[in-house]
Amino acid sequence: MITIKHLSKQYINPDGTVFKVLKDVNCEINPGEVISIIGPSGTGKSTFLRAINLLDPPTGGEILFDGENILAKGYPLNKLRQKMGMVFQSFNLFEHLSILDNVTFAPMKLHHLDRRQAEEEAMAMLRKVGMAEKANAMPSDLSGGQKQRVAIARCLAMHPEVILFDEPTSALDPTMVGEVLSVLRQLASEGMTMLIVTHEMKFARDVSTRIFFMNDGIIYEDGTPQQIFENPVHSATKAFVQRIRKAVFEVDGPDYDMLGVHSQMDAFCNKYHIADKGVAAGRIVDLVAEKVMPTAYPYTLRLTYSELNDVASLDVMKERLEASPLLGADAGVAEELRRLCREIVEEPTTRGFRVKFIL
Amino acid sequence: MTLRELGKKVRLTAACVAVALAFAGCSGGGPKAVEVSKASDLAGLRVGCTAGSIYEMMLSQRADIELSTFNAPSDDVEALVSGKVDVMVEDDTFMSPEEMARTGIKLAFRGKTQFPVAFAFSKGNAATAPVREGLSRFIDSLRGTGELQKMYDRWFECDTPSRVPMPDLGPEPEGKPIKVGLVVNMPPIAFSVGKDWRGFDPEVLLRYSRYAGRPVDINYVPLASATTALQTGNIDILCGGIFVTEERQKTIDFSSVHYYAYPGFFVRAAGAAGVQAGFWERMRQTVHNNLIVEARWRYILEGLWETVKISLLSILLGSLLGAGVCWMRMSRRRWVSQTAKAYISLMRGIPMLVFLMIMFYVVLAGTGLSATMVAVVAFALNFAAYVSEMFRTAIDSVGKGQTEAGLAIGFTRWQTFVYIVAPQALRSVMPVYKGEAVSLVKNTSIVGYIAIQDLTRASDMIRNRTFDAFFPLLLVTVIYFVLAWLLGKLLDLTVRNTAKK
């Protein structure tokens, strides 16, 4: 369907130096594939996606769509883009049109559908993304997640052969990510060809048929989710997929910023969709501070999350301590702590002692 | 507030009140009348005259008077009536007895200096030289037969020159007209009734027209732009009590002298403002005098049409041009956008009046475009510079994402602009655009400077004849206000209809 050969893109900085965003991208995309493009920020994922429909035209290489070189002079770009939908990070709904008009606008103007037909179809698409009841609202009346679902419906109304998703959930409040991802899941299950630039590792692993790991301007590794997440060939891929997210807080006195710590921990958990674990972590932090180590300042709290294994843990670390602080704790408190987590690991470290609550 | 400022303020307020009272005609006897009978009596008095007139030069030599100068003789009269000045110095024949009686002014005495009056031509202009020589010969022959004196007596030695009929001179000859600019509109020298001009100067000219076999095209020209109009060839002859002086002869060629004027020293007549009538009666008189007599409402109607025509055409043409300039300004080609930028800052830096005069007397002088069309072009060019920047900010304010979304769904660049960016830009530009359009309508009030009889000039024409400052000004104020309001409504309606499409 889409064949990409030696695609490159470079910018010339104001100081005259050349910055190569895409160096040499090669791939083949087949109908029905759901491809997630992952990788560290600034490695050209979005640029690559936007090069495919020439919103950011590449500076070198070839893109073949159904065997035709779309970079050739005179290729009807607007026709290509009608077959190649795009969903943006910032939704970009047409602000001057109602939700229904947003969906019917392009089919009416470009496919010359009459209004009745276009509206019927638009309502079907809006129902599909759960936005039918907002058909007469204006974009400014909607939340981010709702806007993004309308944007997907707008895209679907053109019956594209492939849809490009440019970080569709990155601009969303964590509570709204789910509604958009579930629409994407549904589309994938219906066999839509999709290219998704995303930071949602779990989603990428669950939904994709294929993963592109992009790094340093090239597709570093291309494989099934299983291969990329469990048996990566390259060390860079491994480092990326196995990277552990963490947040560290210092508790250095009775007047530490208790509310600040809680809210930052909540934000961290929301970001990685482990809000339920955040509740337990918050309770543990309180218990430790009030009952277990009420005078043992300073100590360090560390919240970690491995996206690959979906494992989160809360570490309580104290320097120059040789025995577990839990030993001296009240039995009831110890019991409650045990109930709040899956497992408690108590281990000495080179500098002190660490209690690890696996959530 | 210093004492001086306070004094000024009080005086200003007093003047305003005086004007209002003069209008109402119940000024309690009016400002105090002053008696003068010779030039030395002026010492310590407030004296008024027309700016740029010979009297200004004469009076500015005297340190013992407080001199005020006015743009037009009618303002001068208004100042005298309302008590802003005590003595007015103009030609002795400048006001007819009927006008003096009506306004409550009298001629206190005549000065001794005699001023020859003639028709003025551009210096050394070969094209108009035959006309000047012909006219001079014609005047000389009229004087020879005594006809000139008879004409003078008929207009000047008469109490009611506004009712003196023009003699029947037969049909107007055909051909290329001689363009005449008149700087006054006041009996007996020259005054207009509808489309026709009457008075001493017009009669001489119309008689000459039959004699020479060429039609004359007479128009009112404000004194401020009269010499420019003469020098640039927009008019061939300038007249209306133009004095022949040595200094003027350096830059102007004159025809033979057709009459002599003396300085007239006018003062308020004692007890003149005593005629007391009821409010409604006074109102009726005011309306009658300003609108009904000599069908003066036609000035308003024709002026209004001129103002509307210039405004609408300028807005239309200016918006199109503005869109073009905006497109250039947003061009990725540096020289194109720089050109647009230079144009915009140039237009913003030139006062509109100066630009209008330059366009009329210099840039478009040889193109044969009518004054109205020149005004349309000038206003459109100015409007374009301002609205192009408004369009640009409005387009910029529509996020880049909107364009990308349009392109990505399969619209061409042009479709994206027309369907998606433009409607949103239009909505955000409307309030400022409306303001600019309304301010254009108001700015058209300066077109009188290039001899277009617009709404403002219409009020001037009426004021020149009636010496009533209040009513004509109030009337055009109301008309401008309504015009601006209607324009706003019209623009709203247009936008609503476009948005629907």
Side-chain angles (χ1 to χ4, degrees):
Chain A
M1 187 176 195
I2 304 174
T3 309
I4 289 163
K5 289 178 190 165
H6 307 297
L7 196 73
S8 66
K9 166 119 189 147
Q10 57 191 39
Y11 293 105
I12 295 174
N13 290 326
D15 59 11
T17 56
V18 174
F19 175 59
K20 291 187 174 180
V21 196
L22 299 178
K23 288 176 183 158
D24 182 21
V25 179
N26 296 283
C27 66
E28 171 90 41
I29 296 153
N30 301 308
E33 283 191 309
V34 177
I35 300 174
S36 289
I37 304 169
I38 63 171
S41 355
T43 51
K45 301 185 298 291
S46 283
T47 311
F48 171 53
L49 203 71
R50 292 163 59 90
I52 297 176
N53 70 353
L54 305 199
L55 267 190
D56 268 347
T59 45
E62 249 178 52
I63 302 173
L64 302 178
F65 186 77
D66 291 339
E68 274 187 88
N69 184 5
I70 67 169
L71 291 168
K73 245 196 173 140
Y75 186 88
L77 267 187
N78 50 326
K79 292 276 185 294
L80 167 81
R81 289 177 183 146
Q82 292 173 20
K83 292 186 267 183
M84 205 184 254
M86 186 158 200
V87 172
F88 298 87
Q89 182 179 346
S90 49
F91 335 123
N92 298 343
L93 292 185
F94 302 138
E95 299 289 341
H96 62 306
L97 299 177
S98 72
I99 299 310
L100 186 63
D101 290 342
N102 257 278
V103 185
T104 57
F105 195 65
M108 281 172 65
K109 295 280 183 200
L110 296 171
H111 289 168
H112 307 292
L113 260 56
D114 63 46
R115 175 168 291 281
R116 199 188 51 79
Q117 208 180 341
E119 283 184 356
E120 241 168 53
E121 198 160 314
M123 286 310 289
M125 294 303 172
L126 285 173
R127 252 175 238 124
K128 191 167 180 169
V129 298
M131 290 301 298
E133 65 170 4
K134 294 277 186 185
N136 293 316
M138 291 304 281
S140 51
D141 302 333
L142 303 188
S143 72
Q146 291 174 322
K147 282 186 195 178
Q148 194 61 295
R149 285 188 280 153
V150 173
I152 293 170
R154 175 176 72 176
C155 194
L156 289 173
M158 287 296 285
H159 299 292
E161 294 173 22
V162 51
I163 304 181
L164 311 174
F165 291 90
D166 186 8
E167 302 198 23
T169 58
S170 295
L172 295 178
D173 209 76
T175 54
M176 296 172 185
V177 171
E179 58 191 81
V180 172
L181 290 185
S182 65
V183 170
L184 294 189
R185 272 198 188 91
Q186 186 192 342
L187 283 182
S189 70
E190 288 170 4
M192 174 58 82
T193 314
M194 300 156 74
L195 260 81
I196 310 159
V197 172
T198 185
H199 291 288
E200 304 290 338
M201 290 304 141
K202 210 167 143 201
F203 169 80
R205 187 159 71 163
D206 295 350
V207 175
S208 317
T209 57
R210 213 167 142 199
I211 305 271
F212 290 169
F213 172 65
M214 280 192 75
N215 194 12
D216 206 17
I218 59 169
I219 297 182
Y220 218 75
E221 201 163 337
D222 168 1
T224 62
Q226 199 181 11
Q227 181 190 332
I228 298 287
F229 284 104
E230 283 157 32
N231 277 313
V233 177
H234 297 287
S235 55
T237 317
K238 189 169 177 182
F240 180 77
V241 299
Q242 294 186 349
R243 88 204 134 129
I244 287 168
R245 308 286 189 173
K246 62 183 170 191
V248 177
F249 311 95
E250 299 290 342
V251 179
D252 44 16
D255 297 330
Y256 83 102
D257 181 7
M258 199 248 290
L259 288 175
V261 169
H262 275 280
S263 76
Q264 284 178 54
M265 280 185 15
D266 286 347
F268 179 90
C269 294
N270 274 330
K271 193 171 168 191
Y272 300 108
H273 317 304
I274 47 170
D276 51 333
K277 297 186 179 182
V279 177
R283 180 76 190 130
I284 293 171
V285 168
D286 285 346
L287 284 173
V288 168
E290 288 161 17
K291 303 279 164 58
V292 183
M293 305 165 67
T295 55
Y297 314 115
Y299 60 89
T300 305
L301 298 171
R302 188 174 69 184
L303 195 56
T304 61
Y305 176 62
S306 157
E307 285 175 275
L308 183 65
N309 307 320
D310 190 21
V311 171
S313 71
L314 177 73
D315 301 351
V316 181
M317 296 175 288
K318 168 116 182 99
E319 286 183 13
R320 294 187 294 279
L321 190 68
E322 281 152 18
S324 171
L326 293 181
L327 290 176
D330 181 88
V333 173
E335 176 57 29
E336 187 177 357
L337 284 174
R338 248 186 294 285
R339 262 192 287 114
L340 281 167
C341 59
R342 287 207 303 234
E343 194 185 344
I344 299 176
V345 181
E346 293 155 287
E347 54 190 5
T349 60
T350 45
R351 298 205 297 191
F353 202 87
R354 174 171 63 204
V355 183
K356 198 177 186 77
F357 299 92
I358 296 174
L359 299 163
Chain B
M1 201 187 293
T2 66
L3 208 61
R4 198 189 149 91
E5 279 168 340
L6 185 72
K8 245 187 192 169
K9 207 160 187 175
V10 169
R11 236 181 304 158
L12 197 69
T13 317
C16 292
V17 169
V19 170
L21 291 183
F23 165 71
C26 59
S27 45
K32 199 161 60 74
V34 174
E35 286 300 330
V36 289
S37 58
K38 54 185 186 297
S40 58
D41 289 348
L42 297 186
L45 295 180
R46 293 169 300 159
V47 182
C49 68
T50 310
S53 68
I54 203 90
Y55 308 116
E56 184 189 3
M57 282 197 288
M58 214 172 73
L59 293 165
S60 61
Q61 318 262 331
R62 294 186 55 164
D64 59 343
I65 58 168
E66 192 186 317
L67 182 64
S68 309
T69 58
F70 299 90
N71 279 327
S74 54
D75 297 335
D76 204 358
V77 172
E78 191 54 52
L80 179 64
V81 170
S82 62
K84 269 184 267 183
V85 297
D86 302 314
V87 181
M88 166 178 86
V89 186
E90 296 287 348
D91 299 0
D92 60 337
T93 52
F94 146 82
M95 275 182 100
S96 62
E98 55 174 339
E99 300 286 0
M100 286 197 277
R102 202 169 56 73
T103 48
I105 289 177
K106 68 172 185 181
L107 179 62
F109 69 96
R110 281 193 177 82
K112 293 193 180 60
T113 334
Q114 184 189 41
F115 294 112
V117 181
F119 295 90
F121 292 79
S122 178
K123 181 91 182 168
N125 188 326
T128 58
V131 179
R132 181 170 57 83
E133 286 156 14
L135 184 62
S136 296
R137 270 199 308 276
F138 182 68
I139 291 170
D140 293 342
S141 75
L142 280 178
R143 181 173 292 115
T145 60
E147 188 65 29
L148 193 66
Q149 189 60 44
K150 273 192 222 159
M151 281 163 59
Y152 182 87
D153 290 347
R154 199 151 37 80
W155 291 108
F156 288 92
E157 302 297 332
C158 151
D159 284 349
T160 55
S162 70
R163 286 183 223 150
V164 172
M166 282 288 272
D168 185 11
L169 299 169
E172 193 175 27
E174 307 241 316
K176 189 168 173 256
I178 301 167
K179 290 172 284 178
V180 180
L182 264 169
V183 295
V184 296
N185 177 27
M186 202 173 293
I189 299 175
F191 61 104
S192 67
V193 177
K195 288 252 172 271
D196 296 325
W197 282 86
R198 292 194 204 166
F200 184 56
D201 277 13
E203 189 178 339
V204 172
L205 285 165
L206 290 176
R207 280 172 186 270
Y208 174 69
S209 145
R210 272 49 175 189
Y211 166 80
R214 281 182 71 183
V216 288
D217 175 16
I218 304 176
N219 280 297
Y220 178 80
V221 178
L223 194 59
S225 56
T227 45
T228 324
L230 192 63
Q231 276 156 10
T232 55
N234 274 290
I235 55 174
D236 301 324
I237 305 178
L238 184 66
C239 61
I242 309 286
F243 294 172
V244 182
T245 64
E246 259 180 56
E247 200 186 355
R248 284 181 179 166
Q249 275 172 329
K250 288 176 198 155
T251 54
I252 288 175
D253 283 340
F254 286 99
S255 69
S256 290
V257 172
H258 61 307
Y259 74 97
Y260 293 89
Y262 296 85
F265 293 77
F266 297 87
V267 294
R268 284 180 294 277
V275 202
Q276 287 288 336
F279 175 80
W280 293 110
E281 177 55 21
R282 285 200 312 275
M283 201 64 196
R284 196 196 64 77
Q285 274 174 8
T286 305
V287 172
H288 180 80
N289 210 18
N290 283 295
L291 294 178
I292 313 296
V293 174
E294 292 174 11
R296 283 172 190 150
W297 52 269
R298 280 213 205 135
Y299 288 126
I300 298 286
L301 216 61
E302 282 161 20
L304 175 63
W305 170 233
E306 203 66 39
T307 295
V308 168
K309 203 164 60 180
I310 293 173
S311 304
L312 289 186
L313 287 177
S314 305
I315 289 170
L316 211 68
L317 184 63
S319 301
L320 292 177
L321 276 172
V325 174
C326 170
W327 177 79
M328 280 174 70
R329 180 77 178 79
M330 295 181 89
S331 165
R332 257 170 273 171
R333 278 195 207 101
R334 212 179 131 71
W335 66 270
V336 176
S337 74
Q338 286 301 312
T339 309
K341 207 171 164 184
Y343 171 78
I344 291 164
S345 37
L346 186 73
M347 290 309 299
R348 281 180 167 176
I350 307 177
M352 191 56 221
L353 176 57
V354 176
F355 181 64
L356 183 70
M357 303 260 273
I358 288 175
M359 290 299 280
F360 186 67
Y361 293 118
V362 185
V363 181
L364 298 175
T367 58
L369 275 182
S370 71
T372 306
M373 282 324 290
V374 172
V376 168
V377 170
F379 277 103
L381 286 172
N382 187 266
F383 191 63
Y386 283 93
V387 295
S388 68
E389 285 294 88
M390 293 176 187
F391 289 164
R392 187 172 68 97
T393 19
I395 290 170
D396 281 346
S397 76
V398 178
K400 210 173 147 234
Q402 296 287 313
T403 306
E404 287 190 346
L407 290 177
I409 211 161
F411 288 111
T412 60
R413 264 192 183 280
W414 177 244
Q415 286 173 324
T416 303
F417 180 77
V418 172
Y419 292 148
I420 293 152
V421 178
Q424 296 183 47
L426 200 63
R427 198 175 292 180
S428 69
V429 84
M430 220 45 220
V432 273
Y433 177 81
K434 232 160 68 178
E436 193 61 31
V438 166
S439 111
L440 180 139
V441 174
K442 295 184 291 179
N443 280 339
T444 59
S445 61
I446 61 173
V447 295
Y449 276 89
I450 60 169
I452 296 174
Q453 313 240 332
D454 74 322
L455 193 54
T456 303
R457 179 62 67 201
S459 91
D460 287 350
M461 296 289 270
I462 295 177
R463 278 189 316 133
N464 281 343
R465 296 287 280 109
T466 63
F467 305 112
D468 180 352
F470 195 78
F471 183 79
L473 284 179
L474 190 71
L475 182 64
V476 297
T477 305
V478 172
I479 296 178
Y480 272 117
F481 178 79
V482 172
L483 212 55
W485 180 78
L486 282 175
L487 180 70
K489 286 277 158 223
L490 181 75
L491 287 174
D492 281 345
L493 216 71
T494 321
V495 168
R496 217 169 297 152
N497 282 349
T498 338
K500 258 185 209 154
K501 275 184 212 161

